[in-house]
């Protein structure tokens, strides 16, 4: 029987094997640190910075529209023809990702000419005859950014204002043209409707832009107002609009927020919630009434602004409305590449 030979013990390769394993562990730990710690912090800061930059770009777009309206007004006042110009505002849609570790954050820039409907309604006397007026506008531009590390937010241009909306709230960040002034115990109201024409969209993380051309301005002035002044709207951002109207009107009528504490029925602030969303919002004062009601079929709020009028000067606290100025601007819009839907 052949005798088995004992295998000679040799530990000379153990050190190199253990060293390789340790090096791999250090490398994997470093990669894990990058993926789980560095990349989320970097992307969150980048997405937050991008939202701030996008808001600034929408502010620039609003300024461009306002300047075009001003130029048209000056031409009209001077009695000369207004020559329309085309303005371009760049908008960065999203955030570039970190190669290998994470993909880009994309955004969707959309122009919707049938959304964001607003109307101003009143009845005034012309040559002794009661005449109803209804001025309206539609259109909104939305940058919806699908942030994964920062809050999911949207920046919106609607009826001359710039709004910021996210899951837990919305606010008016750049005010539209709306003013109420008290002169000798009478009210004067001024508002601008901005109608946007042209649909289009673009998605990605690159820098695209918005082409805009003001094609006309119409300004009307109404005196001898017989009715209350109503401003109605249908918009997903109704809470922000009601907050803006309340802030503007409260400043005009010198209403302090403290009067709403235990002030019903004269002063009432009544919100109701469905989950985290405000379902209805009602603000009542002797001077005005504001409401916002969420409508599921529309996926939007119906808002109503009622500014009370006392043409006979017989109701306590309520003032007569002596002048209402309504300006209507008509703007053609194209997103990214110039479209053929409207003239740009």
């Amino acid at each position: 029987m052949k005798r088995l030979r004992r295998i000679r013990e040799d530990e000379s390769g153990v050190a190199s094997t253990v060293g390789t394993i340790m090096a791999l562990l250090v490398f994997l730990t470093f990669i894990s640190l990058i993926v789980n710690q560095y990349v989320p912090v970097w992307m969150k800061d980048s997405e937050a910075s991008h939202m701030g930059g996008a808001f600034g770009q929408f502010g620039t777009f609003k300024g461009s529209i306002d300047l075009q309206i001003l130029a048209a007004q000056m031409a009209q006042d001077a009695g000369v023809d207004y020559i329309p110009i085309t303005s371009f505002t760049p908008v960065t849609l999203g955030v570039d990702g970190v190669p290998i570790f994470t993909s880009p954050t994309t955004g969707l820039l959309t122009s919707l000419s049938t959304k964001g409907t607003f109307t101003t309604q009143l009845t005034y006397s012309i040559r002794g005859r009661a005449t109803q007026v209804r001025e309206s506008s539609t259109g909104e531009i939305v940058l919806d950014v699908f942030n994964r590390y920062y809050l999911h937010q949207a920046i919106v241009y609607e009826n001359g204002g710039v709004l910021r909306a996210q899951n837990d709230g919305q606010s008016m960040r750049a005010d539209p043209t709306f003013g109420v002034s008290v002169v000798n115990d009478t009210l004067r109201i001024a508002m601008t409707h901005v109608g946007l024409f042209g649909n289009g969209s673009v998605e990605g993380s690159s820098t695209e832009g918005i082409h805009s051309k003001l094609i006309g301005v119409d300004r009307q002035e109404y005196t001898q107002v017989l009715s209350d002044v109503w401003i109605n709207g249908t918009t997903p951002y109704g809470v922000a609009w009601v907050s803006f109207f309340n802030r503007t009107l409260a400043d005009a009528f010198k209403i302090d927020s403290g009067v709403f504490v235990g002030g019903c029925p004269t002063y009432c602030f009544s919100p109701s919630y469905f989950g985290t969303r405000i379902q209805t919002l009602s603000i009542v004062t002797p001077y005005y009434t504001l409401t916002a009601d969420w409508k599921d079929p529309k996926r939007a709020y119906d808002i109503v602004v009622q500014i009370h009028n006392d043409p006979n000067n017989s109701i306590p606290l309520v003032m007569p409305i002596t002048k209402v100025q309504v300006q209507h601007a008509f703007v053609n819009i194209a997103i990214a590449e110039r479209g053929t839907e409207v003239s740009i």
Side-chain angles (χ1 to χ4, degrees):
M1 182 176 180
K2 189 174 181 180
R3 186 178 179 182
L4 295 177
R5 186 175 60 179
R6 178 179 295 180
I7 298 176
R8 183 168 59 89
E9 295 181 358
D10 186 0
E11 298 181 356
S12 61
V14 172
S16 60
T17 302
V18 172
T20 302
I21 294 174
M22 292 299 294
L24 287 174
L25 289 175
V26 171
F27 176 75
L28 292 175
T29 301
F30 180 70
I31 294 298
S32 177
L33 180 65
I34 293 177
V35 172
N36 296 323
Q37 300 294 327
Y38 175 76
V39 170
V41 172
W42 172 272
M43 289 299 295
K44 184 177 181 180
D45 289 345
S46 297
E47 289 177 350
S49 177
H50 167 251
M51 295 311 302
F55 170 70
Q57 291 169 334
F58 266 66
T60 301
F61 172 74
K62 168 181 164 56
S64 172
I65 297 296
D66 291 345
L67 287 175
Q68 292 183 62
I69 294 174
L70 178 61
Q73 288 177 342
M74 294 176 64
Q76 188 179 64
D77 294 340
V80 298
D81 292 335
Y82 168 67
I83 302 176
I85 62 172
T86 299
S87 175
F88 177 79
T89 305
V91 176
T92 303
L93 304 181
V95 179
D96 291 333
V98 179
I100 300 175
F101 297 107
T102 184
S103 58
T105 297
T106 61
L108 176 64
L109 180 64
T110 309
S111 174
L112 302 166
S113 62
T114 59
K115 300 293 185 179
T117 302
F118 288 84
T119 63
T120 299
Q121 301 180 62
L122 58 94
T123 301
Y124 76 110
S125 176
I126 178 171
R127 297 177 182 176
R129 177 175 296 181
T131 304
Q132 293 185 344
V133 173
R134 186 178 186 273
E135 298 277 356
S136 63
S137 62
T138 60
E140 65 182 21
I141 298 174
V142 181
L143 174 63
D144 193 6
V145 184
F146 308 107
N147 293 324
R148 293 167 296 164
Y149 301 91
Y150 191 61
L151 296 172
H152 180 189
Q153 289 189 343
I155 308 294
V156 184
Y157 177 85
E158 186 176 64
N159 200 34
V162 178
L163 307 100
R164 175 175 283 182
Q166 58 193 43
N167 293 333
D168 60 349
Q170 50 189 237
S171 64
M172 181 73 69
R173 298 301 307 275
D175 293 349
T177 301
F178 172 74
V180 176
S181 57
V182 178
V183 180
N184 296 327
D185 293 328
T186 64
L187 290 184
R188 296 181 180 180
I189 302 171
M191 183 172 184
T192 295
H193 285 274
V194 181
L196 305 179
F197 302 91
N199 297 304
S201 65
V202 62
E203 184 175 4
S205 60
S206 60
T207 298
E208 297 291 345
I210 309 170
H211 302 267
S212 61
K213 178 191 284 186
L214 178 75
I215 56 176
V217 170
D218 176 64
R219 182 171 56 189
Q220 299 293 332
E221 183 175 300
Y222 306 100
T223 58
Q224 301 183 41
V225 180
L226 303 177
S227 69
D228 294 348
V229 174
W230 300 79
I231 301 171
N232 302 321
T234 300
T235 169
Y237 317 103
V239 174
W241 276 101
V242 166
S243 298
F244 160 72
F245 283 121
N246 182 54
R247 171 165 48 86
T248 304
L249 291 167
D251 287 344
F253 292 111
K254 309 300 181 184
I255 298 175
D256 185 78
S257 59
V259 301
F260 292 100
V261 180
C264 283
T266 306
Y267 292 90
C268 291
F269 179 83
S270 306
S272 66
Y273 293 84
F274 182 79
T276 59
R277 183 182 65 211
I278 294 179
Q279 191 73 11
T280 62
L281 177 62
S282 175
I283 301 174
V284 177
T285 75
Y287 310 99
Y288 59 88
T289 301
L290 309 174
T291 60
D293 294 305
W294 176 260
K295 303 296 183 182
D296 279 322
K298 300 178 182 179
R299 303 300 300 169
Y301 289 94
D302 283 341
I303 65 171
V304 178
V305 179
Q306 180 184 6
I307 304 174
H308 302 308
N309 179 31
D310 180 18
N312 299 320
N313 204 16
S314 59
I315 304 174
L317 298 179
V318 181
M319 305 177 194
I321 299 175
T322 56
K323 182 186 295 185
V324 177
Q325 294 174 303
V326 181
Q327 181 172 257
H328 202 154
F330 307 89
V331 184
N332 283 350
I333 296 294
I335 300 296
E337 296 294 333
R338 296 189 179 187
T340 57
E341 186 174 275
V342 294
S343 173
I344 294 292

